[in-house]
Amino acid sequence: MTHLSIIPGIGKASLELLEAAGFLDAESLAKAGASELAVELERANKILQIAKRAPGRANVEKWISSARDLIGESEAGGEMMMPVDYEQSPQVVSLLASASFAIPLPARQLMEKQLAVSEIPSAIFLNRYAGDLEVKVNERIPQAPHVRPTISTGFVKIADSVQDRMELDSSRLKSTDTVTANSVRKHVSKRKPDEDRVSLIRGPREKTNLGRDPKSRFYIRGVLHNRPISMAFGAVATLVLAVMLPASIISAALLLLSEQEPDHFSWVPKWLLVFPLGLPVFGFIYLIFGLGGTCRICGQKQFVPKACLKNIKAHHVRGLGHIVPVSVHMLLFKWFRCTYCGTPVRLKK
């Protein structure tokens, strides 16, 4: 095939327009009509904006003539039909209205006929089709597959087939409601909520929240912690340590000043020495119970500071953070929300 670039007068922009219009070589250009090709190039340039202005009809005639001289007049064989918009035809409009759905070719038929995908003809573009088009409209619409009637027995449906593969006695069939109701009644009769360990872990006893408002903080909720006493000791140790740590620092400073400047700090009492001496004791208790105080659900430590994103429902007071409010809430209301997962956990059965 002869490339279009060797034809005189076809520049880079014109070459791109010709390729966009579907003319890739001199053979196809030689069979085109001058008027139709000029219209196609103008339409392509209007959409793609390749050149400042589309080539005129005179230039197109020169290109076609040069292409015919290049390949020979005998090989041209007359002008080629340019693409036509058949979607404006009344027959095509009727065809599109009747064919609102497509019937795919079954994969089983492809296997039985041993057909390849490349052997299936592709559909044509009705708005850009070159040549004559014969349209036949068939009013026949595929019928929906026949659905056999069914017999409903509760929630069980039996197809009414002519040839039953299995002989079923429909009188012996029971609905799922009957079976479920019987199983639930048997299960409830055997279950004792006060003695059921799983039920006790999930929710408190009825007498625990007797007379309390469900919306109040005093309403104990959540899953039961497996070490409630240890969590309570950890909360106490954390609160005492939070008070004793700054008190020990201040007391130690005042006692040191009273020794160095007895005239000015003679008012400092000697019993402040209790705070520095008691700090190691409560620090040791915090190491035992505070560091081991974890959530029953996620396992995160509740009395240890951690720089991460906290749960939106966690106990929090501006200026105090999360640890002190969790400890206070735990001791006052016998339950708390985990700082990290937000799950309510209770310390009382």
Side-chain angles (χ1 to χ4, degrees):
M1 295 184 180
T2 307
H3 199 266
L4 293 175
S5 58
I6 65 174
I7 297 177
I10 298 181
K12 184 177 180 181
S14 301
L15 182 62
E16 293 182 3
L17 285 176
L18 288 171
E19 291 178 352
F23 297 91
L24 306 178
D25 48 40
E27 286 76 3
S28 59
L29 180 61
K31 299 178 181 179
S35 302
E36 294 82 357
L37 181 56
V39 174
E40 282 293 317
L41 294 179
E42 184 176 358
R43 182 188 305 173
N45 187 59
K46 185 177 180 180
I47 298 174
L48 302 177
Q49 298 292 326
I50 297 177
K52 294 183 179 180
R53 51 183 298 182
R57 189 179 186 282
N59 293 331
V60 173
E61 289 181 351
K62 293 179 180 179
W63 297 345
I64 297 175
S65 177
S66 300
R68 291 178 178 177
D69 294 340
L70 188 62
I71 66 173
E73 182 67 24
S74 59
E75 296 182 15
E79 294 187 355
M80 182 183 66
M81 298 294 295
M82 297 297 293
V84 180
D85 187 3
Y86 281 98
E87 290 188 359
Q88 305 300 325
S89 173
Q91 293 180 340
V92 175
V93 172
S94 177
L95 171 66
L96 296 177
S98 301
S100 56
F101 55 89
I103 302 177
L105 196 61
R108 182 180 299 177
Q109 186 175 356
L110 293 176
M111 296 177 62
E112 292 177 354
K113 302 296 182 180
Q114 296 183 355
L115 296 175
V117 178
S118 58
E119 298 177 359
I120 302 175
S122 58
I124 61 175
F125 293 97
L126 296 177
N127 60 342
R128 289 180 56 81
Y129 182 74
D132 296 331
L133 182 66
E134 182 179 0
V135 180
K136 294 182 180 181
V137 180
N138 192 349
E139 298 295 339
R140 185 179 62 87
I141 300 178
Q143 299 294 329
H146 176 68
V147 179
R148 294 177 296 183
T150 59
I151 301 175
S152 177
T153 305
F155 287 93
V156 181
K157 293 184 177 181
I158 306 173
D160 185 14
S161 59
V162 180
Q163 296 180 353
D164 295 333
R165 295 185 179 181
M166 296 180 62
E167 296 181 359
L168 298 176
D169 187 2
S170 59
S171 61
R172 301 180 61 183
L173 295 177
K174 296 181 179 180
S175 64
T176 54
D177 283 344
T178 305
V179 178
T180 306
N182 294 334
S183 61
V184 170
R185 282 196 294 268
K186 294 179 181 179
H187 184 67
V188 171
S189 61
K190 294 181 180 179
R191 181 175 178 178
K192 297 180 180 180
D194 293 339
E195 298 178 0
D196 191 354
R197 180 174 176 273
V198 177
S199 177
L200 182 61
I201 292 175
R202 293 179 178 177
R205 294 191 177 103
E206 294 182 1
K207 62 181 181 180
T208 302
N209 290 320
L210 189 63
R212 297 181 179 180
D213 185 8
K215 297 182 180 180
S216 173
R217 289 184 181 270
F218 290 96
Y219 190 87
I220 300 176
R221 68 200 70 190
V223 297
L224 180 63
H225 203 282
N226 55 343
R227 294 184 299 166
I229 299 177
S230 177
M231 292 294 292
F233 275 109
V236 172
T238 302
L239 292 176
V240 173
L241 192 63
V243 175
M244 290 197 65
L245 183 60
S248 300
I249 297 175
I250 296 174
S251 301
L254 291 175
L255 292 172
L256 183 62
L257 290 174
S258 65
E259 292 289 337
Q260 299 294 331
E261 300 288 340
D263 297 336
H264 297 86
F265 293 93
S266 59
W267 53 270
V268 178
K270 299 298 182 180
W271 58 265
L272 291 180
L273 190 62
V274 174
F275 292 102
L277 294 177
L279 183 62
V281 178
F282 285 95
F284 180 74
I285 298 175
Y286 171 79
L287 291 177
I288 296 175
F289 298 102
L291 295 181
T294 59
C295 173
R296 175 69 186 272
I297 306 302
C298 65
Q300 293 290 337
K301 296 181 178 180
Q302 301 299 307
F303 307 117
V304 178
K306 184 178 181 181
C308 65
L309 184 64
K310 308 301 191 299
N311 192 277
I312 190 174
K313 296 182 179 180
H315 309 295
H316 176 262
V317 176
R318 183 174 296 180
L320 294 179
H322 293 82
I323 297 178
V324 173
V326 167
S327 302
V328 174
H329 198 282
M330 190 181 302
L331 296 175
L332 290 180
F333 305 110
K334 307 302 180 184
W335 72 277
F336 68 98
R337 285 191 180 274
C338 177
T339 308
Y340 304 95
C341 66
T343 305
V345 182
R346 71 183 194 279
L347 305 181
K348 188 176 181 181
K349 295 181 179 180

